[in-house]
Amino acid sequence: MEEDDCAFCGAALAPSWTSLSIWGWGSLGVVLFLITFGPFAIFYFAFYILCFVGGGFVVTLLFGKSNSEKYLEQCEHSFLPCTSVGIPKCIEEMKREARPIKIDRRLTGANIIDEPLQQVIQFSLRDYVQYWYYTLSDDESFLLEIRQALQYALVQFSARSKETDWQPYFTTRLVDDFGTHLRVFRKAQQRIAEKGDQMKDQAEELVDTFFEVEVEMEKEVCRDLVCTSPKDEEGFLRDLCEVLLYILLPPGDFQNKIMRYFVREILSRGILLPLINQLSDPDYINQYVIWMIRDSNCNYEAFMNIIKLSDNIGELEAVKDKASEELQYLRSLDTAGDDINTIKNQINSLLYVIKVCDSRIQRLQSGKEIDTVKLAANFGKLCTVPLDHILVDNVALQFFMDYMQQTGGQAHLFFWMTVEGYRVTAQQQLEVLQSRQKDGKHQTNQTKGLLRAAAVGVYEQYLSEKASPRVNIDDNLVAKLAETLNHEDPTPEIFDDIQRKVYELMLRDERFYPSFKQNVLYVRMLAELDMLKDPSFRGSDDGEGESFNGSPTGSINLSLDDLSNVPSDETVQLHAYISDTGVCNDHGKTYALYAITVHRRNQNSEETWKTYRRYSDFHDFHMRITEQFENLANILKLPGKKTFNNMDREFLEKRKKDLNAYLQLLLNPEMMKASPALAHYVYDFLENKAYSKGKGDFARKMDTFVNPLRNSMRNVSNAVKSLPDSLAEGMTKMSDNMGKMSERLGQDIKQSFFKVPPLIQKTYSDPDHCRVAAPIDDNVDDNIPLRVMLLLMDEVFDLKERNQWLRRNIKNLLQQLIRATYGDTINRKIVDHVDWMTSPEQVADAVKRFRDAFWPNGILAETVPRRDKAIRMRTRVAGKTKLLEVMPDELKHIIGAETTRKGILRVFEMFQHTQLNKRMVYVFLERFLETLFPQNKFHELFNKLHSRSKQMQRYKQRLHTTQAPSLQKR
């Protein structure tokens, strides 16, 4: 054991002894070296080694250089080109003066277009490339290459444009896209209304809902990302510009990435993006609308109408602030003489505007809902429209038709209308027959046969025992009519006796016209006829308000509290007299104005105010009360009109005296007791507010708009007499067709209300979920542009509501009439107008406007600062006022004042959202490119570019979720 332990210890100590021996011998060697060679020997040793290594490197370098030169000399004489000049040669070439490169300045083949286009190219390169490129290099070859690429692309673009037929794009696709955009907006508004009014951000909610409806209608594409995300919009424009460069540039230039990227950025960020932002700006659109109708002066009526209809508090506050500012300025003026009256009238007008704005703001902030049924209960304040006027006015007739359907009396109304159509047709046919007989042509039997067939058809449809529903009338009259049809030739007056009885039945029977006046449909009819009253704003003693021709409309949207309070207490005493007269000049129109001082006294208070009326207001008021109270016509005599010298001072004083006598007789207590309801009309006329013309104005206009269909047919008949025989025969055939259409009028009415299949069959898809022009088959009708424009009118004014039946039928009838007479002419004019729009002169004008807008006076336009919110709001009010004012009265008579107003304001409101405007601009751009490049499958390309839409993805998920259960069942 001891031996083993010793062996283990020796083995353990062996490594330590070995390491000690190494360090010992090493130390000994160092000490001996220093003793022998001295302390600086180590530095000498390191120097010797460094010299050895350096010398070897130098020898190797010299040897390699000599061998390389020999090898290169051998290669030079074998296959490599001469490289003796190298970089110095390139520098020498760059220092030489660049040779001028000739550029062909022809782009489109029309000098009037090429000149402004060249300027646009020059300005673009100068402001987007040259300002930074010259800091890097003075060589202009790169700039010239970019210019050549741009010009080549424009040449190719121009060649494509010349080969394209633009008529379908401007007359069909453009209108279809606009109508579809408006339909999506209308449906989005409806969904917002269904969800409720209280939302955090109604504008943002409207945008989201709009794109939800878009994806439901388009089904393949949604543009929400491009319109709401600036980053995605820039990416979309870059991709689109790159595709266009691929199509327009030569392959060699397109493969040059540097040049391609430069041109792409110039087009996308320098031209397209600013242009789209400007076209999408609501404030720019509003200013453009005002500029387009700049020749039309804003009148007081249209302005006040917009204020009372506005649902935007920002608009009302902006108008109120501006009115207050003007009011302070007028009150600060120091004037005397005649200027005092002018300034006083202006101050009164501004006070009235401020009061209206305050009232409207309070109503919007309080969130009061408007109940038209409660408004209808206040019948004492509504005008009365006679039945004979209702029957000849297409706007009023459709409301009466709806009511008659509800009460089950539609057969009587349909019979009356059918007989009217038969009478017009029969008169026209007989007049044509008489004119042809004078010329020696005989077609008596054929014409009489057609008239007999039409008369028998009316009899069988409404009066025979088989008729359903049957008009219940005196059996003796029906038997007499049947006897006449069997033994005599039919005449236009054959149904007159029965028609008169039916009219008296509708007029007297409590179920029909009397009850209709107590129905909410009657109130809506008055709104469409512009005959609802304006809310009352009673003024101060100095008189706030002034008279004007016409009535502020839209009272259907006003609550019952806004209507004037008619004095019902018998102790109320009203006195009035004309205190002064004056002559006013409004936009070149001169008229007399009468200042009426009114005193109202009751048991507790006494009030005095002034109001201002024109003679036309007195005349309208007189017509209104004499139509309501027939006994007044023999008592009250209004001073007559005078056409010439009616501004003479003596004449005005005489008229003032006569009008004062008229007022005193009207305000006689005995007169008021005899007609208690007259007090309301008198108080409304004398109240300090803008006078609301209604019944009298309507009655005067009714004479000029009675039954336009009858007049048009008679004009056709008179025109036939003066035509040559060849043309007369064609017009006679058209007349026969119109007669057959008139005969079918009653049947069409009946079919529409009793759910008989309509004349135009509906497609399997819901029309509200498809594009506007989707139901149109391009192979059916040659007059497609006219049809699409009529569909657009139908979309703007929302004529597809259930209570708009008559308007749709009138539209269809006018459409057929236009096709039969002037359809080809209108179509030809539309095509000619499109050719004019795409003519070189108009294209050059558009390029010049673009150049002047972006580079006024040749200088890049600075970014226009966003205008103040108050200014933008007032611009909105001015734009809406202009649009409402420019609408013709004839359009209101055809489709109704309320419908016209809502349609115009809906279109205007659609343009007040930047994201929605961008969507419409991009739709127009996409359709433009699809038309210009029909072979390049742009439709599929746009679907792919918009495929990342979040709305599209959600729509596909919902569609997959709804289809999954049906697939499982299968």
Side-chain angles (χ1 to χ4, degrees):
M1 290 292 292
E2 293 178 358
E3 295 178 356
D4 294 338
D5 293 336
C6 291
F8 177 76
C9 291
L13 293 173
S16 62
W17 283 107
T18 302
S19 60
L20 289 175
S21 62
I22 293 174
W23 283 103
W25 288 106
S27 301
L28 180 62
V30 171
V31 171
L32 292 176
F33 179 80
L34 293 174
I35 295 173
T36 305
F37 299 101
F40 297 98
I42 189 170
F43 297 103
Y44 296 140
F45 181 75
F47 176 72
Y48 295 152
I49 294 175
L50 182 62
C51 290
F52 177 79
V53 175
F57 178 76
V58 171
V59 171
T60 303
L61 180 63
L62 294 176
F63 179 77
K65 180 181 179 183
S66 61
N67 288 343
S68 299
E69 291 177 352
K70 293 179 180 179
Y71 179 75
L72 290 175
E73 185 177 358
Q74 293 176 0
C75 295
E76 181 181 359
H77 295 288
S78 60
F79 57 86
L80 285 180
C82 179
T83 59
S84 59
V85 291
I87 295 177
K89 180 67 174 178
C90 295
I91 296 175
E92 182 180 355
E93 290 291 337
M94 294 178 65
K95 290 182 178 180
R96 290 182 181 179
E97 184 176 356
R99 290 174 297 177
I101 300 177
K102 294 183 179 180
I103 298 178
D104 189 358
R105 299 181 65 86
R106 294 175 298 176
L107 298 175
T108 64
N111 293 329
I112 57 176
I113 302 177
D114 293 346
E115 181 180 355
L117 266 181
Q118 288 289 352
Q119 293 178 349
V120 170
I121 295 175
Q122 180 64 34
F123 294 156
S124 300
L125 293 176
R126 182 195 66 189
D127 295 326
Y128 295 111
V129 179
Q130 291 179 2
Y131 80 95
W132 59 264
Y133 177 76
Y134 283 142
T135 61
L136 303 178
S137 174
D138 296 333
D139 182 32
E140 295 190 0
S141 59
F142 175 73
L143 300 176
L144 295 176
E145 292 292 340
I146 292 181
R147 186 179 189 118
Q148 283 184 329
L150 286 174
Q151 292 193 174
Y152 185 86
L154 288 174
V155 170
Q156 297 298 319
F157 184 86
S158 174
R160 291 288 187 101
S161 301
K162 294 177 181 178
E163 298 173 357
T164 303
D165 182 13
W166 293 107
Q167 183 262 336
Y169 172 76
F170 284 104
T171 60
T172 302
R173 296 180 183 176
L174 205 64
V175 178
D176 175 32
D177 291 332
F178 179 79
T180 303
H181 187 84
L182 181 58
R183 176 176 295 180
V184 175
F185 179 75
R186 176 171 53 85
K187 290 183 66 63
Q189 280 187 324
Q190 293 175 355
R191 290 193 183 181
I192 293 293
E194 293 173 358
K195 292 179 181 179
D197 296 332
Q198 296 181 355
M199 296 181 181
K200 296 181 180 179
D201 191 346
Q202 190 169 0
E204 182 178 352
E205 182 71 16
L206 177 62
V207 172
D208 294 338
T209 308
F210 178 90
F211 288 109
E212 288 180 5
V213 179
E214 181 197 17
V215 72
E216 294 175 2
M217 186 170 294
E218 297 285 352
K219 295 183 172 55
E220 295 180 353
V221 65
C222 184
R223 303 169 182 84
D224 56 337
L225 283 181
V226 176
C227 300
T228 57
S229 173
K231 182 179 179 181
D232 291 303
E233 183 181 11
E234 293 179 4
F236 173 81
L237 289 177
R238 288 194 186 98
D239 295 338
L240 181 60
C241 290
E242 193 146 353
V243 172
L244 291 176
L245 293 177
Y246 173 78
I247 296 174
L248 299 175
L249 290 181
D253 292 340
F254 182 78
Q255 296 300 328
N256 188 342
K257 291 186 178 180
I258 297 178
M259 182 186 301
R260 187 175 79 220
Y261 290 161
F262 273 124
V263 176
R264 184 192 69 181
E265 292 300 317
I266 291 175
L267 291 177
S268 61
R269 293 178 58 86
I271 297 178
L272 287 180
L273 187 60
L275 180 61
I276 292 173
N277 288 336
Q278 184 177 15
L279 295 177
S280 304
D281 184 14
D283 188 49
Y284 172 80
I285 296 176
N286 297 338
Q287 295 180 63
Y288 188 72
V289 168
I290 296 174
W291 177 83
M292 286 182 63
I293 49 182
R294 58 191 179 278
D295 296 334
S296 175
N297 295 321
C298 292
N299 57 35
Y300 183 76
E301 174 190 1
F303 173 71
M304 294 307 302
N305 195 7
I306 289 298
I307 296 300
K308 295 174 184 179
L309 291 175
S310 176
D311 56 357
N312 189 311
I313 296 180
E315 293 179 358
L316 298 171
E317 290 179 345
V319 173
K320 176 186 173 183
D321 293 342
K322 188 64 176 179
S324 301
E325 180 182 341
E326 292 293 328
L327 185 63
Q328 292 178 1
Y329 170 75
L330 291 176
R331 285 175 172 172
S332 66
L333 296 178
D334 185 12
T335 58
D338 296 336
D339 293 339
I340 295 179
N341 295 328
T342 302
I343 294 178
K344 187 175 181 180
N345 291 335
Q346 294 176 356
I347 290 176
N348 290 336
S349 299
L350 291 174
L351 289 173
Y352 180 70
V353 170
I354 294 173
K355 198 166 189 177
V356 173
C357 291
D358 286 334
S359 176
R360 187 65 180 163
I361 291 173
Q362 292 176 3
R363 187 179 302 112
L364 292 175
Q365 291 177 343
S366 63
K368 289 184 178 180
E369 293 293 335
I370 308 304
D371 192 349
T372 56
V373 177
K374 291 182 179 180
L375 183 63
N378 200 5
F379 296 112
K381 301 177 182 179
L382 298 179
C383 299
T384 299
V385 182
L387 180 60
D388 55 343
H389 288 170
I390 292 176
L391 294 177
V392 298
D393 184 86
N394 58 317
V395 176
L397 180 58
Q398 59 96 12
F399 288 98
F400 187 57
M401 188 180 297
D402 289 346
Y403 176 77
M404 294 295 283
Q405 182 192 10
Q406 295 176 4
T407 58
Q410 64 270 23
H412 300 78
L413 179 58
F414 296 161
F415 171 76
W416 189 93
M417 295 172 59
T418 306
V419 171
E420 283 293 302
Y422 167 81
R423 181 187 298 108
V424 172
T425 305
Q427 291 175 352
Q428 186 266 337
Q429 291 287 338
L430 292 177
E431 290 176 0
V432 173
L433 177 62
Q434 292 175 1
S435 64
R436 295 179 64 84
Q437 286 178 346
K438 292 180 180 179
D439 296 336
K441 301 178 181 180
H442 301 281
Q443 291 182 342
T444 306
N445 294 334
Q446 180 181 1
T447 303
K448 291 183 178 180
L450 290 174
L451 292 179
R452 181 179 298 277
V456 172
V458 175
Y459 173 82
E460 294 291 339
Q461 183 176 347
Y462 294 103
L463 301 175
S464 67
E465 296 180 357
K466 299 179 182 179
S468 178
R470 183 174 183 269
V471 175
N472 296 321
I473 205 67
D474 189 358
D475 293 337
N476 294 330
L477 292 177
V478 176
K480 182 179 179 181
L481 174 63
E483 184 70 18
T484 304
L485 288 174
N486 292 330
H487 298 89
E488 299 179 9
D489 293 332
T491 63
E493 299 80 15
I494 191 172
F495 294 101
D496 283 2
D497 293 339
I498 298 181
Q499 187 189 30
R500 192 176 300 108
K501 289 291 184 181
V502 170
Y503 175 83
E504 293 178 357
L505 179 64
M506 292 189 296
L507 179 64
R508 307 298 179 188
D509 196 321
E510 288 295 331
R511 297 174 298 166
F512 303 141
Y513 176 69
S515 297
F516 173 63
K517 293 189 295 182
Q518 308 296 322
N519 193 274
V520 66
L521 289 174
Y522 185 77
V523 182
R524 295 174 181 171
M525 181 195 74
L526 293 179
E528 294 289 0
L529 296 176
D530 244 356
M531 295 177 63
L532 278 183
K533 288 186 177 299
D534 173 45
S536 173
F537 295 95
R538 187 164 56 243
S540 59
D541 294 342
D542 58 356
E544 313 173 2
E546 57 189 42
S547 176
F548 57 88
N549 283 327
S551 61
T553 53
S555 301
I556 194 70
N557 297 321
L558 303 176
S559 63
L560 188 60
D561 298 335
D562 294 325
L563 294 176
S564 57
N565 298 319
V566 180
S568 57
D569 192 349
E570 294 182 357
T571 61
V572 175
Q573 297 179 3
L574 203 62
H575 302 280
Y577 64 94
I578 300 177
S579 57
D580 196 7
T581 60
V583 178
C584 297
N585 192 310
D586 184 14
H587 300 294
K589 297 181 180 180
T590 304
Y591 56 88
L593 200 63
Y594 299 91
I596 306 174
T597 302
V598 184
H599 300 277
R600 187 180 66 174
R601 181 185 305 169
N602 55 26
Q603 294 179 351
N604 301 323
S605 63
E606 181 177 352
E607 293 180 279
T608 302
W609 67 86
K610 283 187 178 181
T611 188
Y612 301 88
R613 295 290 180 258
R614 298 174 54 178
Y615 175 79
S616 60
D617 299 332
F618 278 95
H619 186 266
D620 184 89
F621 170 73
H622 180 74
M623 290 187 63
R624 181 181 298 186
I625 61 175
T626 53
E627 290 172 0
Q628 292 290 331
F629 311 96
E630 297 180 357
N631 59 324
L632 297 181
N634 299 324
I635 303 175
L636 293 173
K637 300 298 181 182
L638 187 69
K641 291 184 178 181
K642 185 179 180 181
T643 306
F644 303 102
N645 297 325
N646 54 8
M647 296 295 131
D648 183 70
R649 191 65 190 175
E650 294 182 0
F651 172 76
L652 292 179
E653 288 297 328
K654 181 178 181 303
R655 176 173 281 181
K656 171 186 172 183
K657 181 179 179 181
D658 295 339
L659 290 177
N660 261 325
Y662 177 86
L663 281 177
Q664 302 313 313
L665 181 60
L666 181 67
L667 296 175
N668 189 299
E670 297 299 328
M671 182 80 71
M672 294 294 183
K673 291 181 180 180
S675 303
L678 178 63
H680 160 68
Y681 293 94
V682 174
Y683 182 83
D684 180 74
F685 178 74
L686 296 177
E687 193 173 6
N688 181 18
K689 66 170 186 176
Y691 177 60
S692 172
K693 288 185 178 180
K695 175 62 184 299
D697 188 51
F698 173 78
R700 289 196 302 271
K701 292 181 179 180
M702 190 63 69
D703 295 336
T704 60
F705 291 97
V706 173
N707 207 341
L709 179 61
R710 177 188 304 173
N711 295 335
S712 64
M713 288 186 174
R714 289 178 178 174
N715 292 335
V716 170
S717 175
N718 295 332
V720 169
K721 298 178 182 179
S722 59
L723 291 174
D725 293 342
S726 58
L727 294 179
E729 291 179 1
M731 295 297 291
T732 303
K733 292 181 180 179
M734 185 202 72
S735 161
D736 296 339
N737 295 332
M738 292 298 297
K740 295 177 182 178
M741 286 166 42
S742 179
E743 293 171 15
R744 293 195 300 266
L745 178 62
Q747 184 65 28
D748 293 342
I749 295 172
K750 182 177 178 181
Q751 289 176 351
S752 298
F753 276 97
F754 290 98
K755 307 304 179 183
V756 179
L759 296 176
I760 301 178
Q761 298 293 336
K762 292 184 178 180
T763 58
Y764 66 93
S765 61
D766 185 1
D768 281 342
H769 288 81
C770 64
R771 302 181 64 83
V772 171
I776 298 179
D777 185 0
D778 292 340
N779 298 322
V780 173
D781 197 341
D782 295 333
N783 215 349
I784 292 298
L786 182 60
R787 291 194 62 193
V788 173
M789 289 184 179
L790 289 174
L791 286 174
L792 178 59
M793 177 181 174
D794 194 25
E795 193 64 37
V796 169
F797 298 106
D798 197 13
L799 301 183
K800 292 185 178 180
E801 294 181 355
R802 289 181 298 175
N803 64 347
Q804 305 290 332
W805 173 89
L806 185 59
R807 300 172 190 181
R808 295 200 307 272
N809 281 272
I810 290 176
K811 182 197 69 174
N812 295 333
L813 184 61
L814 291 176
Q815 182 179 2
Q816 296 175 18
L817 178 63
I818 292 174
R819 287 176 182 169
T821 54
Y822 310 108
D824 295 336
T825 303
I826 295 177
N827 191 42
R828 188 161 52 251
K829 288 183 178 180
I830 292 173
V831 175
D832 293 342
H833 185 70
V834 172
D835 293 338
W836 174 78
M837 291 173 57
T838 55
S839 64
E841 293 78 9
Q842 294 301 311
V843 175
D845 186 61
V847 175
K848 291 177 182 178
R849 289 198 301 267
F850 174 80
R851 177 200 61 191
D852 296 338
F854 279 79
W855 292 277
N857 299 322
I859 302 174
L860 181 64
E862 297 181 358
T863 302
V864 180
R866 188 174 178 83
R867 300 200 306 167
D868 182 72
K869 180 181 178 181
I871 298 177
R872 288 186 281 115
M873 290 294 104
R874 288 195 291 270
T875 305
R876 286 183 56 169
V877 174
K880 287 191 286 187
T881 303
K882 287 273 190 178
L883 283 178
L884 279 189
E885 182 185 2
V886 81
M887 285 298 105
D889 292 336
E890 289 77 10
L891 183 62
K892 298 178 182 179
H893 287 292
I894 293 175
I895 63 177
E898 189 72 10
T899 300
T900 302
R901 183 165 46 251
K902 287 182 178 179
I904 296 301
L905 294 181
R906 182 186 298 115
V907 174
F908 185 86
E909 181 63 26
M910 181 183 68
F911 287 113
Q912 305 310 308
H913 303 273
T914 304
Q915 298 91 337
L916 307 189
N917 295 338
K918 282 192 175 183
R919 187 261 178 193
M920 186 166 59
V921 172
Y922 280 116
V923 169
F924 290 164
L925 177 61
E926 292 172 10
R927 295 293 179 270
F928 176 81
L929 295 177
E930 291 174 9
T931 305
L932 187 63
F933 305 101
Q935 305 298 330
N936 295 103
K937 299 181 180 180
F938 264 95
H939 181 71
E940 298 178 4
L941 172 65
F942 289 129
N943 289 346
K944 291 180 181 179
L945 292 178
H946 296 301
S947 59
R948 296 188 299 107
S949 167
K950 297 179 181 179
Q951 294 285 356
M952 193 70 196
Q953 295 174 1
R954 287 196 289 264
Y955 174 75
K956 291 181 178 179
Q957 291 177 357
R958 292 196 303 266
L959 191 64
H960 178 73
T961 304
T962 55
Q963 291 179 350
S966 60
L967 294 176
Q968 292 176 359
K969 291 181 181 179
R970 292 181 181 178

